[in-house]
């Protein structure tokens, strides 16, 4: 009897325990599944991976290749910029100094950003007591020469263009304890818009997302080994060459990881109302009409673009100017012309505005907050007669409305709520959303017919590696739509942003700080609503070669910039410009520098290099109009060689004939991180949607194992019920 009672008690306790256990299991199951799925999505949404030591360099760092072919970073000791501005032309000397603190011989690989319109025309490497001056050769020949010197133990260097704003330098056979100086000279045009001059110096690179299907890149025998964290894809075959290491946290103000010194001499040629560097503390002095500027603390971290603004006094604001340089008996000219402001006779017609906002992982931190603020401010400019839509994108895209809707109070409230909840995550799959934004809606709405004027405002940091595919998409689908780009963050991909706006017949605007949102977006919407200066023609002499060949339509406050090769002598008659402002004809003229009363009488070094750089850019753009690759190469190569410029088909190479490294000495390396763009949150790198990782497989396997155990337990319960 006692045994029966004991058995019943044990059995009852066991049942109670099993019921409690199952109750707890099913109560916790939803949370467990949710947590597991969340971790799975975090691991595989854009599928991410941490870059190891084998990686292509980030901006401002020297990577050292060891005998196993692995790349590691070494300390950047200091960087210095000496910048001379004369009128609309800036000549820049960029010096980066490195030191091999190891006890091994090394090969250095150095990646760095430059302005997207820069013309790189000189390179010099100083290794210890030796100075090596680079010369321009065809890209394949330069690579072969460098490889041969590297293998033989000779001092050698190679500088290549990966993108118009991303370059790579390789230095072979750096001795233990040896200091290396890399010095480049380039020329860039000054920007002028809304009565303000500006110049931008990039110092770091935002890691670029690489879309497409993974595959092996096609290589020739002389291609350098590529060790970037990104794998080559069908859309970005050179992914490994443009994928920088993960950026580390910046150093302190007293001890930056990558210190930068800046020295500027500004001769604007006119009285100035103000000079400022909005993102850095500077010291300004003046001697006559020449302004000198340097960093207040002596040096700063290379974690954000250096930007300089200067504004002329109202009475001396230029309406037009001609800048001329003579090189090898040939005259080259730069025309800057600002059409007069025109007040519209009536309000702008109803518009359809499509706002595209980037919410990918590279926008994390300050950038997504700036993007949300820009979009919220843009909504305030919409009128009742306008239609609008919002599309956010990362690894996929999502529309606020199925098609553009009227800017009613209710719809604007929905848009404001949509904007407030935008967050940054995932990859930058830009091609699908660009296609969706440029394709007008086909649905018929008899109550609310769509406006004929359609404008797309694209808000992004441009951190993509498939720029050429995106440009081709814009050219194919643009139609009557106009594309305006808004660059966000401390280090946007300005080349992509500017060229996308050029192909989209719009304009490019940059916002580097949240305090600029209101002013910048207000200016942009003035442009969107302003009448254009159209059908502009410049009366160049018949033998002149001007680039761009077709002058674009101009929005309010934008200048016409054209570069020209004039020949052995300057024209004897004034330069005449004709066009239309709104519904009226317009004409003006400028005197040449050699003429009495001319706009300027000084020679401006760098104009010839800018002309050649612009010609190369315009020739390469013909690729999207159907020009074949061989024809483009045959057109571009002679220009780059004649003017000694870096290009996709030319590289700088320097080789010292003396053997420096003993044949028995091996190569080795030591790692040091680089600074992350200011304000950007820490992020792993995003691979294409077609990729996968071990981390994703582990979480997926764990989830399936959990489900299998649960099903097995339920079947056992049914068996003994």
């Amino acid at each position: 009897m006692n045994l029966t009672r004991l058995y019943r008690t044990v059995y009852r306790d066991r049942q109670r325990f099993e019921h409690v256990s199952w109750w707890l299991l099913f109560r916790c199951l939803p949370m467990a599944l949710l947590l597991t799925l969340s971790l799975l999505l975090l691991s595989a949404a854009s599928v991410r991976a941490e870059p190891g030591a084998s990686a292509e360099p980030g901006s401002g760092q020297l990577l050292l290749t060891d005998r196993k072919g692995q790349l590691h970073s070494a300390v950047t000791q200091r960087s210095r910029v000496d910048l001379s501005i004369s009128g609309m032309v800036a000549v820049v000397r960029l010096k980066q100094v490195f030191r091999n603190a190891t006890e091994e011989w090394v090969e250095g690989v150095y990646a760095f950003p430059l302005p997207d319109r820069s013309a790189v025309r000189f390179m010099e490497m100083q290794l210890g007591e030796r100075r090596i001056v680079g010369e321009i050769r065809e890209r394949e020949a330069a690579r072969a020469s460098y490889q041969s010197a590297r293998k033989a133990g000779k001092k050698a260097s190679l500088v290549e263009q990966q993108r118009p704003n991303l370059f790579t330098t390789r230095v072979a056979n750096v001795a233990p304890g040896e200091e290396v100086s890399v010095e480049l000279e380039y020329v860039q045009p000054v920007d002028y818009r809304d009565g303000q001059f500006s110049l931008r110096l990039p110092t770091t690179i935002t890691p670029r997302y690489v879309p497409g299907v993974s595959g092996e890149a096609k290589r020739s025998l002389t291609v350098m080994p590529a060790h970037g964290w990104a794998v080559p894809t069908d859309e970005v075959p050179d992914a490994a060459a443009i994928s920088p290491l993960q950026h580390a946290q910046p150093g302190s103000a007293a001890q930056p990881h990558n210190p930068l010194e800046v020295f500027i001499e500004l001769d604007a040629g006119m009285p100035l109302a103000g000079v400022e560097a909005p993102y850095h503390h500077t010291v300004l002095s003046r001697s006559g009409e020449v302004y000198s500027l340097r960093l207040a603390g002596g040096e700063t971290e290379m974690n954000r673009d250096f930007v300089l603004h200067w504004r002329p006094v109202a009475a001396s604001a230029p309406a037009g100017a001609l800048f001329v340089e003579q090189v090898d008996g040939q005259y080259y000219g730069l025309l800057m012309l600002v059409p007069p402001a025109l007040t519209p006779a009536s309000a702008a017609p109803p518009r359809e505005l499509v706002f595209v906002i980037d919410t990918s992982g590279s926008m994390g931190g300050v950038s997504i907050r700036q993007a949300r603020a820009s979009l919220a401010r843009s909504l305030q400019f919409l009128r009742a007669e306008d239609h609008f839509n919002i599309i956010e994108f990362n690894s996929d895209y999502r529309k606020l409305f199925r098609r553009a809707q009227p800017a009613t109070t209710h719809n604007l409230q929905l848009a404001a709520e949509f904007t407030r909840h935008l967050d940054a995550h995932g990859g930058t799959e830009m091609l699908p959303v660009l296609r969706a934004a440029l394709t007008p809606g086909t649905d018929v709405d008899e109550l609310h017919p769509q406006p004929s004027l359609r404008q797309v405002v694209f808000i992004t940091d441009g951190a993509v590696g498939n720029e050429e595919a995106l440009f081709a998409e814009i050219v194919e689908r643009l139609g009557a739509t106009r594309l305006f780009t808004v660059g966000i963050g401390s280090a946007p991909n300005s080349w992509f942003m500017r060229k996308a706006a050029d192909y989209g017949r719009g304009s490019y605007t940059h916002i580097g700080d949240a305090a600029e949102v209101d002013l910048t977006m207000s200016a942009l919407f003035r442009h969107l609503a302003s009448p254009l200066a159209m059908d502009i023609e410049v009366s160049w002499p018949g033998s002149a070669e001007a680039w761009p060949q077709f002058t674009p339509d101009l929005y309010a406050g934008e200048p016409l910039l054209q570069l020209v090769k004039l020949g052995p002598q300057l024209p004897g008659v004034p330069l005449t410009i004709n066009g239309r402002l709104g519904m009226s004809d317009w004409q003006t003229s400028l005197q040449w520098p050699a003429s009495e009363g001319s706009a300027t009488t000084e020679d401006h070094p760098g104009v010839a290099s800018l002309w050649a750089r612009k010609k190369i850019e315009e020739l390469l753009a013909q690729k999207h109009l159907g020009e074949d690759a061989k024809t483009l190469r045959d057109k571009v190569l002679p220009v780059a060689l004649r003017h000694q410029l870096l290009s996709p088909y030319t590289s700088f190479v320097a080789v010292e004939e003396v053997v420096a490294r003993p044949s028995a000495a091996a190569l080795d390396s030591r790692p040091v991180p680089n600074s992350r763009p200011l304000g950007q949150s820490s992020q792993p790198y995003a691979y294409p949607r077609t990729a996968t990782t071990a981390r994703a497989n582990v979480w997926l396997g764990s989830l399936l194992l959990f489900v299998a155990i649960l099903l097995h337990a339920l079947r056992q319960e049914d068996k003994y019920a």
Side-chain angles (χ1 to χ4, degrees):
M1 186 70 178
N2 291 334
L3 290 175
T4 303
R5 185 181 301 111
L6 177 63
Y7 174 79
R8 289 177 178 175
T9 302
V10 171
Y11 181 75
R12 188 165 52 251
D13 291 343
R14 177 186 173 187
Q15 281 190 318
R16 184 181 300 112
F17 175 77
E18 289 180 349
H19 289 157
V20 170
S21 299
W22 283 112
W23 180 83
L24 288 173
L25 176 63
F26 282 102
R27 286 295 300 268
C28 297
L29 179 61
M31 184 61 68
L33 288 175
L34 180 61
L35 178 61
T36 303
L37 289 173
S38 299
L39 292 172
L40 177 63
L41 291 173
L42 287 174
S43 299
S46 345
V47 183
R48 306 163 179 173
E50 297 291 341
S54 174
E56 196 69 11
S59 141
Q61 63 188 170
L62 186 68
L63 292 190
L64 307 177
T65 305
D66 62 20
R67 54 180 170 268
K68 296 180 181 179
Q70 300 295 305
L71 290 181
H72 307 286
S73 57
V75 175
T76 298
Q77 295 294 326
R78 60 189 181 273
S79 302
R80 173 177 172 135
V81 169
D82 288 276
L83 200 154
S84 177
I85 303 171
S86 177
M88 291 291 295
V89 181
V91 179
V92 186
R93 300 282 293 198
L94 171 62
K95 185 176 184 179
Q96 305 263 3
V97 182
F98 309 92
R99 181 175 178 81
N100 175 16
T102 74
E103 297 180 356
E104 306 290 340
W105 287 78
V106 298
E107 176 195 22
V109 181
Y110 166 57
F112 55 95
L114 288 180
D116 57 284
R117 294 184 294 172
S118 61
V120 183
R121 61 183 190 178
F122 176 82
M123 180 273 288
E124 181 181 87
M125 306 290 293
Q126 183 170 347
L127 304 97
E129 298 298 324
R130 297 177 178 86
R131 297 169 67 90
I132 306 174
V133 177
E135 63 174 298
I136 282 288
R137 295 187 189 176
E138 293 188 39
R139 187 162 182 152
E140 291 301 312
R143 287 181 173 182
S145 178
Y146 174 81
Q147 286 282 59
S148 177
R150 176 185 180 277
K151 184 177 180 181
K154 300 177 181 179
K155 301 280 187 183
S157 60
L158 177 71
V159 180
E160 296 181 308
Q161 174 182 310
Q162 308 299 341
R163 296 289 188 273
N165 59 345
L166 176 58
F167 300 80
T168 304
T169 297
R170 294 176 181 265
V171 186
N173 299 306
V174 184
E178 191 170 23
E179 191 170 80
V180 180
S181 297
V182 180
E183 188 164 353
L184 296 171
E185 180 180 276
Y186 64 88
V187 183
Q188 71 177 106
V190 168
D191 288 320
Y192 182 72
R193 185 172 181 179
D194 293 326
Q196 177 176 270
F197 295 92
S198 63
L199 182 140
R200 180 177 298 274
L201 173 68
T203 64
T204 191
I205 302 169
T206 299
R208 303 182 182 186
Y209 180 76
V210 178
V213 179
S214 301
E216 287 295 324
K218 296 180 180 179
R219 298 165 179 256
S220 67
L221 294 177
T222 58
V223 171
M224 302 292 101
H227 302 275
W229 60 261
V231 295
T233 70
D234 55 345
E235 290 189 40
V236 192
D238 62 345
I242 65 168
S243 51
L245 285 172
Q246 184 175 14
H247 295 280
Q249 291 290 351
S252 65
Q255 292 183 320
H257 288 317
N258 295 294
L260 170 68
E261 297 178 279
V262 178
F263 298 91
I264 298 176
E265 185 176 279
L266 169 61
D267 183 5
M270 64 191 72
L272 298 182
V275 180
E276 66 168 345
Y279 312 134
H280 293 80
H281 297 294
T282 57
V283 175
L284 182 68
S285 60
R286 177 181 175 183
S287 177
E289 295 298 320
V290 178
Y291 294 79
S292 298
L293 183 141
R294 60 180 174 82
L295 293 172
E299 59 186 24
T300 187
E301 183 75 53
M302 294 178 63
N303 60 359
R304 60 197 182 279
D305 292 357
F306 180 89
V307 177
L308 184 69
H309 296 313
W310 61 100
R311 184 178 293 274
V313 298
S316 61
L322 286 164
F323 305 92
V324 174
E325 181 186 23
Q326 187 180 23
V327 175
D328 297 333
Q330 299 289 312
Y331 283 97
Y332 297 85
L334 167 62
L335 166 66
M336 185 203 74
L337 183 70
V338 183
L342 178 64
T343 302
S346 59
R351 303 165 298 178
E352 178 187 339
L353 278 161
V354 179
F355 301 99
V356 182
I357 183 166
D358 185 350
T359 58
S360 62
S362 66
M363 294 284 289
V366 172
S367 294
I368 191 63
R369 294 195 291 272
Q370 293 176 0
R372 283 196 299 257
S374 301
L375 180 53
R377 185 72 177 104
S378 300
L379 295 174
Q380 298 175 12
F381 290 101
L382 294 174
R383 305 164 302 171
E385 59 268 28
D386 293 332
H387 285 60
F388 79 103
N389 204 353
I390 300 175
I391 312 176
E392 69 139 331
F393 76 98
N394 39 68
S395 298
D396 205 344
Y397 69 88
R398 176 170 63 111
K399 293 183 177 182
L400 172 60
F401 305 117
R402 186 171 59 86
R403 65 195 303 273
Q405 296 297 312
T408 62
T409 301
H410 174 69
N411 287 336
L412 290 175
Q413 288 175 346
L414 292 176
E417 187 67 17
F418 182 86
T419 302
R420 279 194 295 271
H421 289 88
L422 295 175
D423 196 16
H425 60 277
T428 314
E429 290 287 349
M430 195 175 288
L431 194 62
V433 71
L434 187 63
R435 184 177 296 123
L438 293 179
T439 303
T442 56
D443 297 341
V444 177
D445 186 347
E446 297 179 356
L447 297 178
H448 302 99
Q450 297 297 299
S452 58
L453 178 59
R454 192 169 189 272
Q455 299 169 327
V456 175
V457 179
F458 213 107
I459 304 173
T460 177
D461 60 4
V464 289
N466 60 331
E467 295 99 334
E468 294 294 345
L470 296 170
F471 296 153
E473 191 72 21
I474 294 171
V475 171
E476 179 181 352
R477 294 184 178 270
L478 183 68
T481 302
R482 296 295 175 261
L483 176 64
F484 298 80
T485 57
V486 180
I488 296 293
S490 302
N493 183 356
S494 58
W495 169 61
F496 167 72
M497 307 292 287
R498 191 185 305 276
K499 288 303 296 180
D502 288 346
Y503 285 120
R505 299 181 65 183
S507 62
Y508 166 54
T509 301
H510 175 250
I511 297 175
D513 189 87
E516 300 174 355
V517 169
D518 186 74
L519 184 63
T520 304
M521 298 309 294
S522 297
L524 173 60
F525 273 82
R526 284 199 304 271
H527 296 173
L528 294 176
S530 297
L532 303 177
M534 298 178 292
D535 301 332
I536 299 174
E537 295 182 359
V538 183
S539 61
W540 299 115
S543 59
E545 184 180 355
W547 298 94
Q549 293 182 321
F550 303 100
T551 56
D553 297 338
L554 301 179
Y555 292 85
E558 291 185 340
L560 167 66
L561 291 176
Q562 218 169 9
L563 288 146
V564 62
K565 180 180 180 182
L566 296 161
Q569 61 184 13
L570 293 175
V573 297
L575 184 68
T576 303
I577 302 99
N578 298 278
R580 278 194 307 116
L581 290 178
M583 302 301 294
S584 303
D585 294 333
W586 166 72
Q587 183 182 86
T588 190
S589 62
L590 293 172
Q591 297 287 340
W592 289 99
S595 306
E596 183 179 354
S598 62
T600 181
T601 58
E602 297 181 359
D603 188 65
H604 286 78
V607 171
S609 297
L610 290 178
W611 174 86
R613 171 68 177 79
K614 187 63 177 178
K615 178 175 180 177
I616 290 172
E617 177 187 342
E618 294 293 320
L619 289 174
L620 292 173
Q622 295 177 6
K623 170 170 45 178
H624 305 298
L625 301 176
E627 192 73 87
D628 65 272
K630 183 180 183 305
T631 302
L632 285 179
R633 179 186 174 89
D634 292 343
K635 290 180 179 179
V636 169
L637 187 58
V639 180
L641 292 173
R642 186 180 307 116
H643 290 266
Q644 297 287 289
L645 298 181
L646 276 179
S647 75
Y649 309 117
T650 53
S651 302
F652 274 116
V653 65
V655 176
E656 186 181 48
E657 293 305 320
V658 177
V659 175
R661 176 172 57 87
S663 58
L667 298 177
D668 206 348
S669 61
R670 295 293 186 272
V672 168
N674 185 34
S675 302
R676 183 189 305 126
L678 182 68
Q680 185 182 72
S681 61
S682 178
Q683 56 162 339
Y685 298 121
Y687 285 137
R689 289 179 298 177
T690 53
T692 186
T693 64
R695 187 186 304 176
N697 291 333
V698 168
W699 282 110
L700 181 59
S702 300
L703 176 62
L704 294 176
L705 179 61
F706 177 80
V707 173
I709 293 173
L710 177 62
L711 292 175
H712 177 73
L714 291 175
R715 288 178 179 176
Q716 292 298 316
E717 177 70 13
D718 292 339
K719 179 178 179 180
Y720 293 105

